[in-house]
Amino acid sequence: MIKHRGFPGRLPGSDFQFTIRRANPRGVTAITKRERFKDRKPADRRADSAFMAALWEHFGDQPFERGNLDAGRLSWLFGREVVAAEDPFDPESYDALLVIDEAVARASFPDAFEDDF
C-alpha cells in the first residue's frame, strides 16, 4: 500500500479521517458509491469539501493510486467527483487507480478549487 506523503491525515479540528495508518489485516475495505442527501450536516459537507481540496492539491487531474486514502471518505465522492481510472476497477485494492472528474468536482465543490482554501 502506497502512503501519500504530505496528504492531510484528517480535517483539522475534527475526527473526520482522510488517510489510514496501515493496511487492514482482515482485508481491504471496498470503495462504494454512497448517496449524499441534502440534509447532511454542515460538518460532513466541510469534510467532503476539504477532502476534495486535498485531492486536487495533491493529484490534480492525474490518475492516482488509492493507497492509504480512507475508503469511507472516498466513498462519499466515488462515482461522481472521483471515478475509476482503469477498467476493470477493483474496489478492494489499495493499488486501484482513481481520477478526479474535474467538471463534476468543480460543480459540486467550487470552494475546493479556490486558491485561498
Side-chain angles (χ1 to χ4, degrees):
M1 171 179 73
I2 187 172
K3 293 195 176 188
H4 299 292
R5 303 285 181 209
F7 198 89
R10 62 183 57 246
L11 178 65
S14 77
D15 286 333
F16 291 108
Q17 181 174 311
F18 289 173
T19 62
I20 58 174
R21 291 185 184 147
R22 58 189 140 317
N24 186 345
R26 294 175 289 180
V28 181
T29 303
I31 299 173
T32 59
K33 183 178 178 181
R34 290 186 179 174
E35 193 64 37
R36 290 193 313 252
F37 296 103
K38 293 184 184 288
D39 64 347
R40 288 185 73 209
K41 296 177 183 175
D44 292 323
R45 292 177 189 213
R46 277 194 309 275
D48 290 343
S49 184
F51 187 62
M52 176 51 66
L55 287 173
W56 183 254
E57 182 178 319
H58 210 75
F59 305 113
D61 61 355
Q62 299 302 307
F64 58 92
E65 274 188 49
R66 170 188 174 177
N68 70 329
L69 298 176
D70 182 63
R73 185 57 44 203
L74 275 171
S75 291
W76 288 110
L77 306 177
F78 186 70
R80 292 174 295 268
E81 295 85 11
V82 176
V83 294
E86 60 187 355
D87 189 32
F89 177 73
D90 182 4
E92 294 183 8
S93 172
Y94 290 122
D95 299 325
L97 289 178
L98 302 164
V99 67
I100 296 172
D101 184 334
E102 186 177 352
V104 175
R106 283 185 183 274
S108 299
F109 302 105
D111 56 328
F113 294 88
E114 294 176 1
D115 292 334
D116 59 350
F117 185 80

